[in-house]
Amino acid sequence: MQILTHQSQRLMLVSALVAVLFTVFPAVSVYQLAEFTQWVIERFDDQVIQLSTLALLACLAIALSPLGEKRLGQTTPEFGFLPWIIMLFTTGMGSGLIFWGVAEPVFHLANMPPVTQYGDSKDTALALTYFHWGVHAWSLYALAGLVMAWLAYEKQRPMRVSASFIGEHRPKWLSVVDLIAVLAILFGIAGVLANTMALVEQGVRHVFGLEGDLTAFRIVMTGLIGVLFTTSSALGLKKGIKRLSSFNLWLMVLLFVVVFLNVDGGAVLSRMGSSLLAYVQMMPEVSVGVIDGGRQWSQGWTVIYLVWWIAWTPFVGPFIARISRGRTIRQFLLCTVIIPTLASVVWFSGFAGAVFESAYLTEVVNAVNQDYTKGLFTFFSYLPWSDVLSVGALLLLLTFVISSADSAIYAAGMLTDDTRTSSKVSWSVIVVTMGMALAVFNDVDLNKQVAIAGAIPFTLVLLGQAVAALAEHWVPSYRRYILSAPDKA
């Protein structure tokens, strides 16, 4: 009797063993993993920032070159422009905007690093946030997605990370590359799932006035979310993910409009413009390395964020490649990088910008300094319909994390060449198990450390993908010798 004959089964077994370690030995595995990621961050902080800047420059250069006119697949786009933008945005960021929409800019304002001030301190705090969520993050996604789309639609290769390195024959060792990608997905989503549960718990405490230990609540909610995102992923791209992404966007717009109508809208719009200008002015200073005199701050915020985005590229890249067939390379790159960045600017300036222009700024700052998860609900407590806004934010938070997780499960199926429903259920169980282990600790900073663990080895894979794609396109001898025929297995 043959077992584990399919690559996906072998990859799933290794991933399941990791999940078991997290569950059986959480105190050892989680904290040891966090120590490892911190060690790497402290030694390669400048290089991570420079890598993201190179990704941005590469995206701009390719988009503006004649290659930008090339269409990804000789066909019309499968999805309309608006559904396409909605799906890539809600998959790439999602629940993080709800979690950090108030907390991050407010924290930066209260704990400003020694960076040159652009505009006033509030503009600078928002600009730092835009740097973490803007063009550098989306360039990593766009570049990873472009490589996958190019190989899938132009070279007819399977949509796997290892497809970047295959030629006439597929060496068995390349399974390690796909394993690294899958582990990056699992760690990244597990960290986001745990952070989501931390914010959900805080929201429930705020709305219902609950006290005491809610560990059991976090664990049960993690399991429930797992059932929901597994169902959405099993429904497929058009029935599940597309509909949920559209729901997320319109609920997000509704929440934003309600908040905007209950704050000083003119001041928010003014702050939006001045902070965006500060972001553009700041970019050259922060794009080449850690902040002078603020290395620890850069490591704890900028570097962790950028590595977190790398952790998400193994599933965001293939996912946006899958939904972008028929787009030109120029449209693919520019829209993927610019439009979600502008949407993030609007969101952060609408929430944190409103706090900055309010009379209750001090109260929100104190709440954020006490616990990141308290910032959003403290802000809502000063607005009309506070409980309604809180419930709406909780609903949006949950649907966003479901959208991101089901996209991740969908991508894991593509990367392992196994899109059966049973496979999606298995991947979901592994993610939920790891999320439950993290939910026990309920430590936001620890979740961030664990979420980026899988990205550390995948960073080398991402670099290799980019180099291999460029070499195949521009170095004929490499193309003939290494990639003489596409792998259709």
Side-chain angles (χ1 to χ4, degrees), residues 32-271:
Q32 288 296 322
L33 201 59
E35 289 182 8
F36 169 69
T37 58
Q38 185 61 32
W39 181 87
V40 174
I41 285 170
E42 290 174 355
R43 282 154 181 79
F44 300 99
D45 46 8
D46 286 331
Q47 290 76 16
V48 169
I49 296 173
Q50 292 159 5
L51 173 63
S52 66
T53 301
L54 286 175
L56 172 59
L57 295 176
C59 287
L60 293 176
I62 295 171
L64 299 177
S65 73
L67 188 61
E69 300 176 2
K70 182 76 174 177
R71 193 171 292 275
L72 296 169
Q74 302 304 313
T75 182
T76 57
E78 180 179 359
F79 299 97
F81 183 77
L82 184 58
W84 174 61
I85 290 295
I86 291 173
M87 281 192 287
L88 72 88
F89 176 69
T90 55
T91 298
M93 293 299 177
S95 61
L97 291 176
I98 314 303
F99 191 103
W100 296 106
V102 170
E104 183 177 347
V106 168
F107 182 88
H108 296 336
L109 179 66
N111 304 272
M112 187 68 67
V115 67
T116 303
Q117 183 167 298
Y118 298 90
D120 59 18
S121 59
K122 296 173 182 177
D123 288 331
T124 303
L126 281 166
L128 286 168
T129 305
Y130 303 158
F131 173 54
H132 295 154
W133 293 79
V135 293
H136 285 73
W138 283 98
S139 292
L140 291 167
Y141 288 161
L143 195 59
L146 178 61
V147 171
M148 299 292 283
W150 177 265
L151 293 174
Y153 303 138
E154 296 301 317
K155 304 299 181 181
Q156 287 74 52
R157 294 195 191 134
M159 200 168 280
R160 294 197 298 258
V161 173
S162 60
S164 300
F165 310 101
I166 61 178
E168 189 173 4
H169 303 289
R170 184 177 188 274
K172 291 184 178 180
W173 64 266
L174 279 178
S175 295
V176 175
V177 173
D178 291 321
L179 174 62
I180 291 172
V182 170
L183 288 177
I185 291 174
L186 298 180
F187 282 118
I189 289 297
V192 170
L193 192 57
N195 267 359
T196 299
M197 291 305 103
L199 188 58
V200 168
E201 177 190 333
Q202 191 61 49
V204 169
R205 289 182 186 276
H206 173 79
V207 174
F208 299 104
L210 298 181
E211 300 291 341
D213 183 19
L214 293 182
T215 300
F217 169 80
R218 294 193 303 272
I219 293 174
V220 172
M221 281 298 299
T222 301
L224 177 61
I225 294 302
V227 172
L228 294 175
F229 70 66
T230 303
T231 302
S232 177
S233 183
L235 288 174
L237 195 58
K238 294 184 178 180
K239 290 184 178 179
I241 298 174
K242 179 183 175 182
R243 291 177 181 175
L244 185 58
S245 296
S246 297
F247 176 81
N248 289 341
L249 180 75
W250 295 120
L251 181 57
M252 187 178 187
V253 170
L254 177 62
L255 185 64
F256 181 89
V257 169
V258 172
V259 169
F260 185 80
L261 292 176
N262 286 283
V263 297
D264 187 345
V268 167
L269 292 175
S270 177
R271 180 64 63 186

